[in-house]
Amino acid sequence: MSLTVVGSVAFDALETPFGQRDKILGGAATHFGLSASFFTQVNAVGVVGGDFTDAEWDVFRRHAINTDDIEVVAGGKTFFWKGRYEYDMNTAHTLDTQLNVFETFQPKLSDNSKNARILFLANILPMLQKEVREQCPKAEFVAMDTMNFWISSMKDAVIDTLKVVDCIIINDAEARQLTDEPNIHKAAKAIMNYGLKAVVIKRGEYGATLFTEDGYFAVPAYPLESVFDPTGAGDTFAGGFMGYIAAHNEITDEVLRRAMIYGSVMASFNVEKFGTERVDALEYSEINQRFRDFKRMTHFDEIPFERASAA
Amino acid sequence: MSLTVVGSVAFDALETPFGQRDKILGGAATHFGLSASFFTQVNAVGVVGGDFTDAEWDVFRRHAINTDDIEVVAGGKTFFWKGRYEYDMNTAHTLDTQLNVFETFQPKLSDNSKNARILFLANILPMLQKEVREQCPKAEFVAMDTMNFWISSMKDAVIDTLKVVDCIIINDAEARQLTDEPNIHKAAKAIMNYGLKAVVIKRGEYGATLFTEDGYFAVPAYPLESVFDPTGAGDTFAGGFMGYIAAHNEITDEVLRRAMIYGSVMASFNVEKFGTERVDALEYSEINQRFRDFKRMTHFDEIPFERASAA
């Protein structure tokens, strides 16, 4: 029932219309791991510098995330990203990126991490994603993220990795870019043709869609009147999605559908406060309440129309 | 159980990447009426010129739409709109607009039209919409459309009309423009505050959302790999929505939800061929099949998460 995530652990500096933070815990593996930890045992694989303090480790500890495979480079500094959001929270403006110890990141997986049933390859160099996937032959369900930078600079490598995973979780612009196909349904089919079982396309304020061989499933976003900090929302979605899958022995279409909802639930909490603050403090009762909210906002009874007297 | 629609009846000329048409039947009242006619008896109120031929009237006749209140100005010409769509089907580029007899349109409602239980005010001058609404005191549920042109040139008049209807059906850009509120949930609330029972926001390829006092309901768009001609999709949606409502004695939240689905179903057919071609030839079995498709693509079981052993 365990899940391994490989990806960045970082410090973020953020400026939003609602406030700012100079140095808070961030990174894809962090947001993903925290979110998934509500559903399953998580092993995180990453690298940090000597500037990583007990306050950061405590976040992982509170959620019983196994950090044995987070390498500490004592003389180095942790990956640092600084970004700004305007009132349009859809676009992050990068102000500064210091890769630091992440620049030469070589994931080192213990047997424990290698033996995970479920594996998530967060957004890192596609060749590294492929290497990690090949170190985990027992993984039953492997998903990957990627980003526009890799698709434009090394699309072939992204596709090589695609061919060895079961699922990709990306946003709609990335899906279009990967396939040169403006229609999102055609793009998803083109990606499925690389041999995937599932394609998840994140559409920001419009929700997310799941494509499988069996069909199509669409989830709206949770209706939020204000988004405080969208950093990590995509990874938090992926964490809820993969974590929920990891909690089930059989990965049926029904499980994937509910996983989409739990992913959406977790992402909706993530954006309510800075960084990991909101998810770190989350209760199961809040998760299930929002899951029920999703049911209420999408449910209708299946009653075919029958006209009393045909015209 | 009857429904009255007031709006344009037109000839359209269309250029799309998939072909062109020089003069086909169009107009808001046409698309709306055709769509609604599958669910209820429709009275159409509009005006056409002497160039309107039997071929056009036949479309209305085939669907038993009452055209007694479509005035014929024998010496005049029917409203004409010419537009072009690029591969991005979301934006219509207007090439020519000839209002013709529509320029001085004064809706004349017979008692039959005035006595309708359900009334739809398609996109015409807001003052005319208000006049029509006031001529129909028995109408139990009245919805209006509008457009960016009226909102920017006479927002006060649009709001005056808003205050005498029960529902507005608009797209997200119009909702934002009407309220100066970028967040769509806040925009919907601001509109509700004018005393409406329901706000329907159409979001094109992302589907549509319904706001009521009871809550929020979101419908994805039907997954179409290609859109042939989007002209009239919004009015076709409104026709399915209002027609379904008209077929029910009680307008409950559950009826409104299914109405959103039937509206989406009808709109999804409309875009598959030019103009009214597809909806004109539609069968009930096709409508119900696509309704079931919507259920399949949105359904998940409500199973709260319980962790076997809390971390």
Side-chain angles (χ1 to χ4, degrees):
Chain A
M1 303 282 270
S2 74
L3 186 166
T4 294
V5 54
V6 181
S8 62
V9 178
F11 283 121
D12 289 343
L14 299 170
E15 292 175 14
T16 83
F18 312 110
Q20 65 171 71
R21 290 288 188 279
D22 291 334
K23 194 180 180 186
I24 57 173
L25 180 61
T30 307
H31 285 289
F32 178 96
L34 217 55
S35 175
S37 75
F38 285 84
F39 303 95
T40 193
Q41 163 62 42
V42 177
N43 312 309
V45 182
V47 63
V48 296
D51 52 351
F52 215 65
T53 74
D54 262 350
E56 285 79 56
W57 291 119
D58 277 347
V59 175
F60 290 90
R61 275 185 212 121
R62 267 199 291 281
H63 298 275
I65 296 171
N66 181 342
T67 57
D68 291 351
D69 290 349
I70 298 184
E71 188 185 353
V72 181
V73 180
K77 286 178 73 181
T78 301
F79 178 22
F80 175 77
W81 178 78
K82 183 173 183 176
R84 188 180 65 219
Y85 297 94
E86 308 291 347
Y87 279 99
D88 165 19
M89 286 283 185
N90 293 315
T91 314
H93 305 274
T94 293
L95 303 176
D96 190 10
T97 304
Q98 298 169 20
L99 289 174
N100 298 330
V101 297
F102 194 61
E103 187 160 13
T104 53
F105 176 45
Q106 283 291 339
K108 294 177 190 71
L109 280 70
S110 59
D111 284 347
N112 186 46
S113 289
K114 284 181 189 170
N115 288 331
R117 213 185 114 233
I118 308 290
L119 173 65
F120 184 66
L121 308 165
N123 170 35
I124 54 173
L125 190 75
M127 287 77 91
L128 279 186
Q129 291 178 312
K130 189 160 180 256
E131 274 178 44
V132 171
R133 197 275 167 264
E134 285 163 354
Q135 287 178 51
C136 303
K138 290 180 192 165
E140 285 173 31
F141 191 80
V142 182
M144 68 182 282
D145 186 10
T146 191
M147 73 184 294
N148 53 1
F149 178 75
W150 306 124
I151 300 172
S152 47
S153 60
M154 45 180 89
K155 190 186 276 194
D156 289 348
V158 173
I159 290 173
D160 278 350
T161 306
L162 253 187
K163 290 177 180 168
V164 297
V165 302
D166 304 292
C167 175
I168 187 167
I169 304 175
I170 51 179
N171 67 41
D172 43 7
E174 289 158 354
R176 291 190 175 100
Q177 189 190 2
L178 188 57
T179 56
D180 291 318
E181 176 54 70
N183 181 282
I184 208 69
H185 303 282
K186 285 187 184 171
K189 273 199 183 168
I191 297 172
M192 288 288 283
N193 284 341
Y194 288 111
L196 280 76
K197 290 177 191 149
V199 172
V200 175
I201 298 183
K202 297 173 287 182
R203 312 181 99 179
E205 65 166 315
Y206 300 110
T209 49
L210 167 72
F211 298 83
T212 61
E213 256 181 57
D214 286 351
Y216 172 72
F217 180 63
V219 189
Y222 187 76
L224 290 168
E225 294 201 358
S226 56
V227 169
F228 194 83
D229 169 21
T231 315
D235 293 304
T236 305
F237 173 92
F241 179 77
M242 296 293 281
Y244 188 78
I245 290 170
H248 292 78
N249 289 323
E250 257 198 292
I251 307 171
T252 62
D253 200 63
E254 293 308 307
V255 167
L256 290 176
R257 284 167 177 247
R258 288 196 298 277
M260 291 287 291
I261 305 295
Y262 280 105
S264 305
V265 163
M266 299 306 286
S268 74
F269 283 116
N270 173 73
V271 303
E272 290 183 346
K273 289 193 180 178
F274 270 119
T276 58
E277 283 173 33
R278 185 68 179 92
V279 175
D280 189 15
L282 207 53
E283 304 280 343
Y284 279 100
S285 58
E286 295 174 299
I287 294 173
N288 280 327
Q289 179 55 52
R290 203 158 278 190
F291 179 82
R292 284 189 291 268
D293 291 344
F294 268 94
K295 185 66 190 175
R296 240 194 330 271
M297 70 203 219
T298 58
H299 179 78
F300 61 93
D301 290 320
E302 189 172 350
I303 304 177
F305 182 75
E306 281 182 58
R307 189 155 181 180
S309 63
Chain B
M1 306 277 272
S2 73
L3 186 165
T4 293
V5 54
V6 180
S8 62
V9 178
F11 283 121
D12 290 341
L14 300 169
E15 292 175 14
T16 83
F18 313 110
Q20 64 171 71
R21 290 289 187 278
D22 292 333
K23 194 179 180 186
I24 57 173
L25 179 61
T30 307
H31 285 289
F32 178 97
L34 216 56
S35 176
S37 75
F38 284 84
F39 303 96
T40 193
Q41 162 61 43
V42 177
N43 312 309
V45 182
V47 62
V48 296
D51 53 351
F52 216 65
T53 74
D54 261 351
E56 285 80 55
W57 291 118
D58 277 347
V59 175
F60 290 90
R61 274 183 214 124
R62 266 198 291 280
H63 298 274
I65 296 171
N66 181 342
T67 57
D68 291 352
D69 290 350
I70 297 184
E71 188 186 353
V72 181
V73 181
K77 286 178 74 181
T78 302
F79 177 22
F80 175 77
W81 178 78
K82 183 173 183 175
R84 188 180 64 220
Y85 298 94
E86 308 292 347
Y87 279 99
D88 165 20
M89 286 282 185
N90 292 315
T91 315
H93 305 273
T94 293
L95 302 177
D96 191 11
T97 304
Q98 298 171 21
L99 290 175
N100 299 330
V101 297
F102 195 61
E103 187 160 13
T104 53
F105 176 45
Q106 284 290 340
K108 294 176 191 71
L109 279 69
S110 59
D111 285 346
N112 186 45
S113 289
K114 284 181 189 169
N115 288 330
R117 212 185 116 233
I118 309 290
L119 173 65
F120 183 66
L121 308 165
N123 170 35
I124 55 173
L125 190 75
M127 289 77 91
L128 278 186
Q129 291 179 311
K130 190 159 180 257
E131 276 179 41
V132 171
R133 198 273 167 263
E134 285 163 353
Q135 288 179 50
C136 302
K138 291 181 192 164
E140 286 174 30
F141 191 80
V142 182
M144 70 182 283
D145 187 9
T146 190
M147 73 185 292
N148 52 0
F149 178 75
W150 307 123
I151 300 172
S152 48
S153 60
M154 46 179 90
K155 190 186 275 195
D156 290 348
V158 174
I159 290 172
D160 278 350
T161 307
L162 254 188
K163 290 176 180 169
V164 297
V165 302
D166 304 292
C167 174
I168 187 168
I169 305 175
I170 49 179
N171 69 40
D172 42 7
E174 289 157 356
R176 292 190 174 100
Q177 189 191 1
L178 187 56
T179 56
D180 291 316
E181 177 53 70
N183 180 284
I184 207 70
H185 303 283
K186 285 188 184 169
K189 273 199 183 167
I191 297 172
M192 289 287 285
N193 284 342
Y194 289 111
L196 281 76
K197 291 178 190 146
V199 173
V200 175
I201 298 184
K202 297 171 287 181
R203 311 182 98 178
E205 66 165 313
Y206 299 109
T209 50
L210 166 72
F211 298 83
T212 61
E213 258 181 56
D214 286 350
Y216 172 72
F217 179 63
V219 189
Y222 188 76
L224 290 167
E225 295 201 358
S226 57
V227 168
F228 194 82
D229 170 22
T231 314
D235 293 304
T236 305
F237 173 93
F241 179 78
M242 296 293 282
Y244 188 77
I245 290 170
H248 291 79
N249 290 324
E250 258 197 292
I251 305 170
T252 63
D253 199 63
E254 292 308 308
V255 167
L256 290 176
R257 284 167 178 247
R258 288 196 297 278
M260 290 287 291
I261 305 294
Y262 280 106
S264 306
V265 163
M266 299 307 285
S268 75
F269 284 116
N270 173 74
V271 303
E272 290 182 347
K273 288 192 179 177
F274 271 119
T276 58
E277 281 174 33
R278 185 69 179 92
V279 175
D280 189 15
L282 207 51
E283 304 280 344
Y284 281 99
S285 58
E286 295 174 299
I287 294 173
N288 281 326
Q289 179 56 51
R290 204 158 277 191
F291 179 81
R292 283 189 290 269
D293 291 344
F294 268 93
K295 184 67 189 173
R296 239 195 329 273
M297 70 207 217
T298 58
H299 179 78
F300 62 94
D301 291 319
E302 190 172 351
I303 305 177
F305 182 74
E306 282 183 58
R307 189 153 181 182
S309 63

